Amino acid sequence: MNFERFIEERFAGGKHDSEGQFTVDLRKASDKVAAFALPSDSHYLLKVVQVAHRFRTEEIRVDIGRFRTTLEFHPVVGQEFEMERLYTALADPLGTKDPVLVDLVAALYGTLKTDLQEATWEHQLGVQGQRLVIDRHRRVHCERFECEL
C-alpha cells in the first residue's frame, strides 16, 4: 500500500460536520511539538541507532556525506516491520506507543532540519522490499522494489 492511498482510504469515509472558528492552546501545541524535537540537527543519527538497537541488530554501517547519510543495519531474523504502521505513525506521531516507531518517526522528522536532500527508510525481506522517502519539501512517497540476485 502506498502512503497516498493509505491517507485517502483513512479519510475517505469522512463527512462534513460543521464549520466555524477555533483557537489553539499554544502551550499544549508547543509541548506536543517538543516531544519530537531533537537537541541538535545531528541527533536524528542517534534515533536511528536507537531503532537499530530496538531491532537487536548486531552491526550498523554508517556512511556520512555532505548531502547524504546512510545507516544500514539488519534486524534479527524473524523480526518483521509493517510499513502501514509507519504510515500511521507519520500521520499521527503522538498516537503511537511503539518505541520503535516513536524513535523512527523522530529520526525521519529530525532529518528535515539538516542539509540532507531526502530521508529514506527501506525495509527488505528477501528480494522484495518497500521504501519510504521524505523529500526536503516534506512530501512523502512510498514504493515497492525487488532486488535482483
Side-chain angles (χ1 to χ4, degrees), residues 48-61 71-83 100 104 121-126:
V48 175
V49 170
Q50 288 174 328
V51 170
H53 173 73
R54 291 184 189 285
F55 276 126
R56 304 203 189 312
T57 189
E58 295 180 3
E59 178 184 6
I60 301 172
R61 279 186 256 159
L71 288 92
E72 181 179 339
F73 61 89
H74 301 280
V76 172
V77 176
Q79 286 191 322
E80 293 189 24
F81 185 83
E82 297 174 23
M83 290 295 278
V100 171
L104 181 53
W121 172 259
E122 289 183 0
H123 178 257
Q124 183 177 339
L125 198 57

Side-chain angles (χ1 to χ4, degrees):
M1 174 182 297
N2 70 36
F3 187 71
E4 292 83 10
R5 190 171 59 216
F6 174 78
I7 294 297
E8 288 173 11
E9 288 175 4
R10 283 279 283 203
F11 295 103
K15 62 178 180 148
H16 182 77
D17 182 47
S18 64
E19 293 182 24
Q21 295 180 336
F22 64 92
T23 59
V24 175
D25 183 335
L26 294 179
R27 185 175 304 137
K28 286 184 181 178
S30 66
D31 288 345
K32 289 181 180 183
V33 170
F36 284 89
L38 299 176
S40 75
D41 291 353
S42 60
H43 270 74
Y44 76 93
L45 291 168
L46 174 61
K47 287 295 181 186
V48 175
V49 170
Q50 288 174 328
V51 170
H53 173 73
R54 291 184 189 285
F55 276 126
R56 304 203 189 312
T57 189
E58 295 180 3
E59 178 184 6
I60 301 172
R61 279 186 256 159
V62 180
D63 179 22
I64 299 177
R66 183 166 180 211
F67 295 109
R68 180 183 177 110
T69 299
T70 304
L71 288 92
E72 181 179 339
F73 61 89
H74 301 280
V76 172
V77 176
Q79 286 191 322
E80 293 189 24
F81 185 83
E82 297 174 23
M83 290 295 278
E84 286 76 15
R85 292 181 58 224
L86 176 56
Y87 304 158
T88 302
L90 284 167
D92 182 18
L94 297 176
T96 184
K97 302 296 181 224
D98 182 342
V100 171
L101 291 174
V102 169
D103 288 342
L104 181 53
V105 167
L108 290 169
Y109 282 142
T111 63
L112 298 174
K113 294 172 35 179
T114 68
D115 290 334
L116 298 175
Q117 298 302 306
E118 66 181 26
T120 303
W121 172 259
E122 289 183 0
H123 178 257
Q124 183 177 339
L125 198 57
V127 296
Q128 296 183 338
Q130 297 179 64
R131 180 180 297 123
L132 177 136
V133 179
I134 302 175
D135 69 19
R136 293 299 306 156
H137 305 289
R138 296 184 176 170
R139 289 185 299 241
V140 176
H141 75 272
C142 301
E143 58 196 25
R144 294 186 186 280
F145 63 91
E146 193 165 312
C147 299
E148 294 185 24
L149 298 176

